[in-house]
Amino acid sequence: MRFSPRDRVALVAAPLAPLAVAGALVPLRTGVASTNLALILVVVVVAVAALGNRVAGAVAALSAAVWFDFFLTRPYERFAVTDANDLTTAVLLLAVGLAVSQLAARARRLRVMTVVDAGLLARIHDTARLAQGHGSSAAVVDQVGRHLVDILRLRSCRFEYGSLLGHPARLEQDGTVVVDREPWDLEGRGWPDGEIELRAAAHGHYQGRYMLLPTPGVVPSRQIREVAVTLADDAGAALDTAGPVPEN
């Protein structure tokens, strides 16, 4: 699964930020209760999860629990906990971090929903209900494709199942566009030439991609592009649950 630039930064910070903060707290470990030190690490996990996605939050939570054990509980500088209270704190630190990572992913989706008008919101709700209900994955894929044509004002849109081919420009999770792995100034330069890839994935599993053919001179707002990404995620979720539908 490909991540947006912001998600990649969060993934780099996820294992390193808790390590750095736990190391910085070493001088305080004999004078401050371990539960208070753990709360500081929770703040770090929240920050990473808010910056990135559930994967970054989960990695940060695991890193925080590991380095809390190593640096801030007795015996120090060993992966062992002899005090039952410290063990409980470490387990709770991990559990809270994992919960926060899930909330961060949901918060990103809710943020998209708060900035769109009623018509776009209705499309999100309708597609989510279809994806979570008894509709076939093919129906979800087709419905999302129609919505993408409408909201992005595309000339055409098609869905490809299976492996990735080529290196087309890509619409990222945060609504930005990259070409050859470099950010593209969409507002200043318009859409790049050719089809634009929008991937459909769920739980880290790639399911397929929409190939978008934009209308020259028409650049939807970033909020609308984020709605498009949310709709593609619904298609990915439906395919992840039911399995991909073979092409005719």
Side-chain angles (χ1 to χ4, degrees):
M1 181 180 180
R2 295 293 184 90
F3 296 104
S4 70
R6 190 179 75 173
D7 288 336
R8 288 195 286 270
V9 170
L11 285 170
V12 172
L16 300 179
L19 169 60
V21 173
L25 293 175
V26 166
L28 304 178
R29 65 189 179 188
T30 57
V32 179
S34 60
T35 50
N36 292 333
L37 299 176
L39 287 174
I40 296 174
L41 290 175
V42 168
V43 173
V44 177
V45 174
V46 170
V48 171
L51 174 66
N53 54 23
R54 61 168 60 91
V55 176
V59 172
L62 180 60
S63 176
V66 167
W67 298 119
F68 172 77
D69 172 20
F70 187 79
F71 285 117
L72 305 177
T73 65
R74 297 179 186 276
Y76 299 128
E77 280 79 51
R78 288 180 57 191
F79 290 111
V81 180
T82 57
D83 186 279
N85 290 330
D86 286 342
L87 178 60
T88 300
T89 301
V91 172
L92 289 175
L93 174 60
L94 177 60
V96 169
L98 292 174
V100 165
S101 69
Q102 296 298 318
L103 291 173
R106 181 172 178 79
R108 177 182 289 188
R109 183 182 179 94
L110 290 175
R111 180 180 66 82
V112 171
M113 294 173 67
T114 60
V115 298
V116 301
D117 63 27
L120 293 176
L121 190 59
R123 294 177 190 269
I124 294 175
H125 283 308
D126 290 345
T127 304
R129 282 197 296 268
L130 183 61
Q132 296 168 6
H134 300 293
S136 69
S137 57
V140 177
V141 169
D142 289 344
Q143 177 168 296
V144 168
R146 292 192 296 272
H147 286 331
L148 293 177
V149 169
D150 289 342
I151 67 174
L152 297 175
R153 299 168 63 186
L154 304 173
R155 285 191 286 171
S156 66
C157 173
R158 59 189 176 87
F159 190 81
E160 292 184 349
Y161 297 92
S163 60
L164 297 168
L165 296 175
H167 300 282
R170 185 170 65 253
L171 179 59
E172 294 278 17
Q173 288 288 311
D174 60 358
T176 61
V177 172
V178 296
V179 177
D180 295 329
R181 301 184 179 180
E182 295 294 331
W184 179 269
D185 181 9
L186 187 57
E187 281 72 19
R189 304 175 63 182
W191 291 102
D193 294 334
E195 291 183 310
I196 313 298
E197 173 187 83
L198 173 57
R199 298 185 180 184
H203 308 299
H205 300 138
Y206 169 75
Q207 300 295 334
R209 62 183 179 180
Y210 288 94
M211 300 302 294
L212 318 174
L213 187 60
T215 300
V218 176
V219 178
S221 69
R222 182 160 179 168
Q223 288 80 9
I224 292 178
R225 300 196 302 268
E226 288 179 337
V227 171
V229 171
T230 300
L231 293 170
D233 286 342
D234 285 334
L239 290 169
D240 186 61
T241 300
V245 178
E247 292 182 282
N248 293 327

